[in-house]
Amino acid sequence: SQKIEQNSEALNIQEGKTATLTCNYTNYSPAYLQWYRQDPGRGPVFLLLIRENEKEKRKERLKVTFDTTLKQSLFHITASQPADSATYLCALEGYSTLTFGKGTMLLVSP
Amino acid sequence: DGGITQSPKYLFRKEGQNVTLSCEQNLNHDAMYWYRQDPGQGLRLIYYSQIVNDFQKGDIAEGYSVSREKKESFPLTVTSAQKNPTAFYLCASSTPEGTGGSGYTFGSGTRLTVV
């Protein structure tokens, strides 16, 4: 069955550093992958999409890579700020819907 | 402003009762979805609808029902058959091809507690 893995342990980093989150998947050949941000008690918010034929995508301080051979996506936040603290979810295209990973919590300390 | 509205934000239900969660969108999206989120479990798909008057079961549809009589509305009923209904429920919408483009737009969720 399809499986998406994100690091369940929270990632703690200092303000100004680059945060890197990982999303691994198995038994998938998705045409694209998406990343979302979720704050406590709120719905997820769409951040970025990367297609299978794209190796890298950037949006402001965010960068996503997609390696279909390794079946892995990396999500980077450069110059991180305390306001970036949240849970980040990756999601893969399934049969007409998205399947979400469990998310990784990011904590950025001043 | 366009968006998705879920109501109520908090809902308490007695065991054996059915409850209906509201989801309304004014984004003119064709597709709508219901997910359930439990601590440590991530989002799990309950039902989805890609067009009015049509919907499909997701991974955990048992004990739930939906309707899609209008494009803007996709209410979810949690029936008494749902064995563990306490959870955070999220509604989302997207354009048909837009799951690949602009992603899903989520509501702010309804937290259901069985008392």
Side-chain angles (χ1 to χ4, degrees):
Chain A
S1 63
Q2 300 167 334
K3 192 174 180 182
I4 303 172
E5 289 184 354
Q6 292 186 258
N7 196 341
S8 58
E9 292 185 12
L11 177 64
N12 287 272
I13 63 167
Q14 261 194 321
E15 183 175 9
K17 301 293 186 184
T18 296
T20 299
L21 306 176
T22 304
C23 176
N24 295 299
Y25 60 93
T26 56
N27 299 325
Y28 265 109
S29 293
Y32 53 81
L33 183 149
Q34 302 183 12
W35 283 89
Y36 290 76
R37 167 183 173 142
Q38 187 175 23
D39 291 286
R42 308 294 299 272
V45 174
F46 172 74
L47 295 175
L48 276 171
L49 176 146
I50 185 165
R51 300 185 188 278
E52 60 179 342
N53 60 350
E54 298 174 314
K55 296 297 183 186
E56 180 180 300
K57 198 123 181 219
R58 293 174 184 261
K59 180 182 176 183
E60 298 173 352
R61 294 185 295 111
L62 308 180
K63 184 179 85 170
V64 172
T65 62
F66 193 12
D67 188 327
T68 55
T69 301
L70 291 178
K71 295 187 180 296
Q72 181 181 79
S73 174
L74 299 179
F75 177 82
H76 306 273
I77 305 176
T78 59
S80 60
Q81 305 165 0
D84 295 326
S85 298
T87 296
Y88 293 86
L89 311 173
C90 74
L92 278 76
E93 164 225 11
Y95 300 106
S96 303
T97 64
L98 291 179
T99 299
F100 287 82
K102 295 181 181 180
T104 298
M105 183 182 293
L106 172 66
L107 299 170
V108 182
S109 54
Chain B
D1 287 339
I4 293 186
T5 301
Q6 289 188 243
S7 62
K9 190 169 179 63
Y10 299 96
L11 186 58
F12 296 89
R13 189 197 90 174
K14 291 183 179 179
E15 285 191 25
Q17 287 182 337
N18 293 353
V19 289
T20 298
L21 282 59
S22 171
C23 178
E24 303 277 334
Q25 54 101 358
N26 60 3
L27 299 165
N28 200 33
H29 285 169
D30 287 305
M32 297 187 74
Y33 316 83
W34 274 104
Y35 285 87
R36 167 181 173 146
Q37 188 172 35
D38 298 278
Q41 290 272 12
L43 276 70
R44 292 184 290 168
L45 182 65
I46 304 172
Y47 268 98
Y48 65 102
S49 168
Q50 294 180 300
I51 196 168
V52 174
N53 292 322
D54 188 42
F55 49 82
Q56 286 76 41
K57 293 181 179 180
D59 300 319
I60 56 165
E62 185 176 350
Y64 299 98
S65 66
V66 293
S67 63
R68 187 83 187 278
E69 297 176 0
K70 299 187 300 181
K71 186 175 184 177
E72 302 79 16
S73 180
F74 191 40
L76 173 75
T77 296
V78 184
T79 75
S80 56
Q82 169 50 233
K83 295 180 181 178
N84 187 19
T86 295
F88 188 49
Y89 291 88
L90 287 159
C91 179
S93 71
S94 73
T95 56
E97 68 283 355
T99 54
S102 55
Y104 285 12
T105 301
F106 280 87
S108 55
T110 292
R111 189 166 297 280
L112 172 64
T113 303
V114 173
V115 296

